Amino acid sequence: MGKKDRTHNDPQATSSSVASAQENGKVKLEVTISSLSNTFSKSDPVIITFSIANVGEITATILKWFIPSSFINAEVLHGNLFSVKYATNSVEQLDSGRVPSGNYVGALMKHASPTYKDFLVLNPKETYTVTFDLADYYSFSSGGIYTVFYDVMEAQLLYSTGSASVVTQLTSNTLRLNVAGRFKPSYSVNSAVTGAATNSFIGCSTTQQSLIITARQDALTCSNYLNDVYMSTFDPFNTNARYTEWFGPDTLSLNVGTVKTHVMSIKSAFLSADMVFDCTCTDSAYAYVYPNQPYKIYLCKAFWSAPAKGTDSKMGTLYHETSHFDIVANTDDVVYGQSGCRALATSNPSKAVTNADSHEYFCESSILADPRSPVRPVVKPVTKPGPVPVPKPAPSKPRPAPKLAPTKPSKLLPSKPKPAPKPAPIKPSKPLPSKPKPAPKPVKPTQQPVRQPSRKPSKAPTDYYYYYYG
């Protein structure tokens, strides 16, 4: 349950104190947590109240992903937003199948780009308050004293997309709660790595099943490379290495061992685990898992439109979600996005090695997984034949040459038209019509009797002969 309190009323409770205000630019936020009781029996819900107040003078826009808020599957928490530590001095004794005390067991989600509905607007002097059962999201396997406080990256809460070199934390006051141990089952899906590497599907079409199988194979290829090639030859003194980009400098090899262990566990999961893929999620996110329920992955809308490989891909999403399982790498969502991960690697390498997005980008940018990687060796031969277009400007040079050539003969053309006017005098055409004028003349010869010349000679001989005989 939850409510939005428009007045800044601090909860009156036995365990309540005010955290120091945190400032991001001109935005100033203050977070408090409180509980009505310090002691909880095995059957009691561990109820706490969370409040975030805008104590500054300008409006604050807060990303709901990083505060308790009921907007995903009616769950208040959708990330590990609190530090819950088992503070009892004695060593914790766990029964088989139980989650270690303090472990987060709620949903861990890889979000898509936020929309307006993902933000909470707090005007100056306004407070947002929500009450929930902490035991629904954290394990209290052993009875004893627990310390609890809110702890998130402030830049993520205020959705800072810049690449700040320092990532500051926004924290609350700390509660000390005496909680009786309660059973919290773990590994309830397919915890065993059988070696069969089967894929089970819930609500997935044939096309979706094919995409999932390909994505799992791509993730295995990536983890094989990272485990068998990259990490086995990694030089921590190489400050330009891909490892340094996502997990920070580590010349003392303080975190390299942790990353190697995580990569090996992720590879083992893709290679041998029986995985379950649920395609019924309708949220705009990529996917989510419950860390204590390996190896079940809920695939949401953004997953289906993601590229097969590369940044924020189907392959990377499976790698990201698989790293969350507490029997694999037990990663959290400390920050999201590449700029946030790079800043985290610089400011807090120890947190970077526990961040799921950092592991995802480490995989996606590997030379075998991402064809867009600038260090991928295959790219080099592609750039070498690139000079082939150099001859293209060569033909462009001769082109101006023929342009000059026609300009010269064009000057001669005006001299040629000079004889052209000679045929222009179509004067002979004028006499032609004068000739047809004598056309009536042929009429005169037609008027002459053709018979007369024939008659004269005929009479002459007759007279002649007549005279001769006479």
Side-chain angles (χ1 to χ4, degrees):
M1 57 182 175
K3 63 180 180 178
K4 187 171 182 177
D5 185 4
R6 287 295 178 182
T7 59
H8 184 41
N9 296 324
D10 293 333
Q12 299 298 322
T14 57
S15 297
S16 178
S17 61
V18 179
S20 59
Q22 304 290 326
E23 183 174 359
N24 184 302
K26 296 181 179 179
V27 176
K28 297 180 67 175
L29 301 173
E30 184 179 271
V31 178
T32 61
I33 59 174
S34 62
S35 64
L36 295 176
S37 173
N38 288 333
T39 304
F40 302 89
S41 68
K42 184 176 295 186
S43 59
D44 291 337
V46 184
I47 301 298
I48 69 169
T49 299
F50 168 90
S51 297
I52 182 168
N54 181 359
V55 296
E57 298 180 354
I58 66 172
T59 300
T61 303
I62 298 170
L63 194 54
K64 293 178 181 178
W65 304 344
F66 295 96
I67 60 173
S69 171
S70 300
F71 77 100
I72 298 177
N73 298 331
E75 295 184 359
V76 175
L77 290 188
H78 20 83
N80 186 10
L81 309 182
F82 291 82
S83 170
V84 180
K85 301 295 184 183
Y86 185 60
T88 300
N89 293 330
S90 61
V91 177
E92 181 180 15
Q93 299 294 325
L94 291 179
D95 295 335
S96 176
R98 292 199 179 190
V99 182
S101 293
N103 273 26
Y104 177 74
V105 294
L108 287 169
M109 179 171 285
K110 175 176 170 60
H111 295 277
S113 297
T115 62
Y116 71 93
K117 68 177 182 179
D118 295 319
F119 291 96
L120 169 71
V121 177
L122 275 185
N123 294 318
K125 311 307 178 184
E126 283 187 345
T127 299
Y128 169 83
T129 301
V130 61
T131 300
F132 63 99
D133 183 359
L134 194 66
D136 286 341
Y137 304 97
Y138 290 88
S139 170
F140 295 95
S141 298
S142 297
I145 304 298
Y146 290 84
T147 60
V148 180
F149 62 91
Y150 173 78
D151 184 22
V152 301
M153 293 290 179
E154 189 174 25
Q156 294 289 294
L157 180 68
L158 297 174
Y159 195 58
S160 173
T161 56
S163 56
S165 58
V166 177
V167 180
T168 57
Q169 294 292 122
L170 178 63
T171 59
S172 72
N173 56 297
T174 300
L175 299 180
R176 289 179 62 86
L177 307 177
N178 188 348
V179 183
R182 59 204 61 201
F183 179 77
K184 178 67 68 172
S186 181
Y187 320 139
S188 57
V189 182
N190 292 308
S191 61
V193 177
T194 63
T198 61
N199 297 306
S200 300
F201 305 97
I202 299 175
C204 303
S205 66
T206 302
T207 300
Q208 289 174 328
Q209 292 179 26
S210 178
L211 293 173
I212 293 169
I213 292 172
T214 299
R216 178 174 179 175
Q217 183 58 48
D218 290 339
L220 174 60
T221 300
C222 173
S223 57
N224 274 337
Y225 167 75
L226 291 177
N227 182 74
D228 303 344
V229 180
Y230 187 87
M231 292 306 297
S232 64
T233 59
F234 171 68
D235 179 7
F237 292 94
N238 182 359
T239 58
N240 294 322
R242 192 179 311 277
Y243 173 97
T244 305
E245 179 179 9
W246 303 115
F247 302 117
D250 195 10
T251 55
L252 299 178
S253 300
L254 298 177
N255 299 314
V256 171
T258 301
V259 174
K260 285 184 177 180
T261 300
H262 288 173
V263 169
M264 185 181 300
S265 298
I266 294 170
K267 171 191 171 180
S268 178
F270 285 122
L271 181 65
S272 307
D274 298 329
M275 291 188 163
V276 179
F277 299 96
D278 190 320
C279 303
T280 61
C281 173
T282 59
D283 190 84
S284 61
Y286 285 89
Y288 68 92
V289 299
Y290 292 93
N292 66 322
Q293 297 180 18
Y295 293 90
K296 186 174 183 179
I297 300 177
Y298 299 82
L299 302 173
C300 305
K301 289 183 178 180
F303 177 83
W304 307 114
S305 59
K309 298 179 182 179
T311 303
D312 294 319
S313 60
K314 292 182 178 69
M315 174 200 70
T317 298
L318 295 191
Y319 196 96
H320 174 120
E321 298 303 330
T322 301
S323 74
H324 278 318
F325 295 123
D326 51 13
I327 62 172
V328 179
N330 197 27
T331 60
D332 284 329
D333 290 320
V334 182
V335 296
Y336 288 108
Q338 291 188 332
S339 61
C341 289
R342 291 189 180 100
L344 183 64
T346 301
S347 63
N348 197 333
S350 295
K351 273 191 174 291
V353 300
T354 67
N355 185 48
D357 251 10
S358 300
H359 281 277
E360 175 184 341
Y361 296 136
F362 183 44
C363 166
E364 289 175 339
S365 61
S366 71
I367 62 175
L368 290 184
D370 191 349
R372 295 172 293 179
S373 172
V375 297
R376 192 169 188 246
V378 179
V379 176
K380 294 182 180 178
V382 174
T383 55
K384 289 180 181 178
V388 174
V390 174
K392 291 183 179 178
S396 63
K397 293 181 180 177
R399 288 178 185 174
K403 290 179 181 178
L404 296 175
T407 55
K408 294 180 180 179
S410 63
K411 295 179 179 178
L412 299 177
L413 292 177
S415 60
K416 289 181 179 180
K418 292 180 181 178
K422 293 180 181 179
I426 311 175
K427 296 179 180 178
S429 62
K430 294 180 180 179
L432 291 177
S434 61
K435 290 181 179 179
K437 290 180 180 178
K441 290 181 180 180
V443 177
K444 293 179 181 180
T446 57
Q447 295 177 354
Q448 295 178 358
V450 180
R451 296 178 182 179
Q452 292 179 358
S454 62
R455 291 176 183 177
K456 289 180 180 180
S458 63
K459 291 181 180 180
T462 54
D463 292 341
Y464 176 74
Y465 290 114
Y466 179 81
Y467 177 79
Y468 179 74
Y469 293 108

